[in-house]
């Protein structure tokens, strides 16, 4: 009985730790990447009025009645 409890305890403790062996550390994000990231088009399109269209998106008035979409990129 004690042996089973000891084996169970070792199994639980071996799974704990700061990180699993196969995991790679997260890569740092540079400032250029964060400024170039845009929301998906579907996210902008979910806003149906110009008043609520977020600043990262743009309101296009044509075709009527208009829609919120991604800003044009150069």
């Amino acid at each position: 009985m004690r042996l089973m409890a000891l084996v169970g305890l070792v199994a639980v403790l071996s799974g704990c730790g700061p990180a699993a062996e196969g995991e790679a550390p997260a890569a740092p994000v540079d400032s250029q990447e964060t400024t170039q990231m845009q929301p998906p088009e579907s996210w902008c399109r979910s806003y149906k009025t110009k008043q609520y269209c977020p600043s990262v998106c743009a309101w296009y008035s044509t075709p009527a009645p208009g829609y919120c979409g991604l800003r044009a990129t150069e």
Side-chain angles (χ1 to χ4, degrees):
M1 187 72 153
R2 288 183 187 175
L3 180 62
M4 288 180 58
L6 183 60
V7 170
L9 181 61
V10 169
V12 168
L13 293 177
S14 67
C16 299
E21 285 184 33
E23 291 181 20
V29 177
D30 25 52
S31 60
Q32 289 180 344
E33 281 184 29
T34 56
T35 58
Q36 293 177 357
M37 293 174 62
Q38 291 185 341
E41 179 75 21
S42 60
W43 183 75
C44 289
R45 293 274 184 141
S46 67
Y47 292 90
K48 303 297 181 194
T49 62
K50 184 177 182 179
Q51 177 184 2
Y52 295 112
C53 186
S55 62
V56 295
C57 303
W59 184 260
Y60 297 97
S61 56
T62 55
Y67 66 96
C68 185
L70 285 178
R71 292 190 180 276
T73 57
E74 295 181 25

